[in-house]
Amino acid sequence: LTGFSFQGGSTYYACIKSVDESGLSAVASTPFQVDVTGPLPIGTVNDGPDAGIDVSCQASHTIRANFRPFGEDYTDVFKLEWAVGTTVGGFDLQSWVNIDLIQVTDQGYYVVSTFVENISAGTAVYASVRATNSVGLSTVVTSNGVFITCGATDGSCESCAVSDQFMCLG
């Protein structure tokens, strides 16, 4: 269709007419909709170890995130990925990694984690989730960040405290 532009959410009809050798014809029509948007987030990405938990600081270098599944109006969510970075939407600490679509907790959340070795105390770390639908459109949602309060990775940082300066208690 030259010069025609599909509008998301509108219903269109594909019509096919066939004619046999004797001149008899048949027409078939099927409605369809066009998906022009990425998946819709249902809630936020939380920096935390369990469903619905969001922490603002932690001593551990194990970065955890949890989030609810994404919704999709016209197609299915085909792929989920997550990344970790020191900027909103960044992936300098962990590049995009696939998330198994069937690993939802009983509370309806995905929970993912990774260990990041080289983080300095006082660094903000952000988890991002990217959902891609079956037509290739993506949506990225990023957490509000968690501050790492300790630079040691030897287990000596056991608790989290926030003051004017970031501190590790242990």
Side-chain angles (χ1 to χ4, degrees), residues 9-78:
S10 296
T11 301
Y12 299 93
Y13 294 87
C15 298
I16 298 174
K17 180 179 180 180
S18 63
V19 180
D20 67 15
E21 291 177 0
S22 66
L24 295 173
S25 65
V27 177
S29 177
T30 302
F32 68 94
Q33 291 183 322
V34 177
D35 191 351
V36 296
T37 61
L40 307 169
I42 301 172
T44 60
V45 175
N46 299 309
D47 302 293
D50 295 311
I53 303 297
D54 190 32
V55 297
S56 59
C57 70
Q58 67 182 42
S60 173
H61 287 224
T62 299
I63 307 304
R64 296 175 180 91
N66 65 84
F67 62 96
R68 289 195 177 278
F70 283 67
E72 178 57 58
D73 287 338
Y74 305 107
T75 60
D76 293 325
V77 173
F78 172 73

Side-chain angles (χ1 to χ4, degrees), residues 17 22-23 31 37 75 94-96 105 126 128 157:
K17 180 179 180 180
S22 66
T37 61
T75 60
Q94 174 188 283
S95 293
W96 294 103
T105 67
Y126 302 89
S128 295
C157 300

Side-chain angles (χ1 to χ4, degrees), residues 3-162:
F4 182 78
S5 179
F6 288 104
Q7 301 297 313
S10 296
T11 301
Y12 299 93
Y13 294 87
C15 298
I16 298 174
K17 180 179 180 180
S18 63
V19 180
D20 67 15
E21 291 177 0
S22 66
L24 295 173
S25 65
V27 177
S29 177
T30 302
F32 68 94
Q33 291 183 322
V34 177
D35 191 351
V36 296
T37 61
L40 307 169
I42 301 172
T44 60
V45 175
N46 299 309
D47 302 293
D50 295 311
I53 303 297
D54 190 32
V55 297
S56 59
C57 70
Q58 67 182 42
S60 173
H61 287 224
T62 299
I63 307 304
R64 296 175 180 91
N66 65 84
F67 62 96
R68 289 195 177 278
F70 283 67
E72 178 57 58
D73 287 338
Y74 305 107
T75 60
D76 293 325
V77 173
F78 172 73
K79 185 179 192 180
L80 277 177
E81 302 165 284
W82 84 298
V84 179
T86 55
T87 59
V88 173
F91 50 90
D92 54 308
L93 299 176
Q94 174 188 283
S95 293
W96 294 103
V97 173
N98 286 335
I99 299 170
D100 189 344
L101 291 172
I102 61 170
Q103 301 239 335
V104 179
T105 67
D106 291 338
Q107 297 89 7
Y109 282 80
Y110 287 93
V111 178
V112 291
S113 66
T114 190
F115 182 80
V116 181
E117 192 163 328
N118 297 318
I119 308 174
S120 301
T123 301
V125 176
Y126 302 89
S128 295
V129 175
R130 178 168 60 193
T132 304
N133 65 19
S134 57
V135 295
L137 301 171
S138 296
T139 301
V140 175
V141 180
T142 301
S143 70
N144 61 359
V146 59
F147 285 97
I148 305 302
T149 61
C150 186
T153 58
D154 61 3
S156 62
C157 300
E158 297 177 4
S159 62
C160 176
V162 177

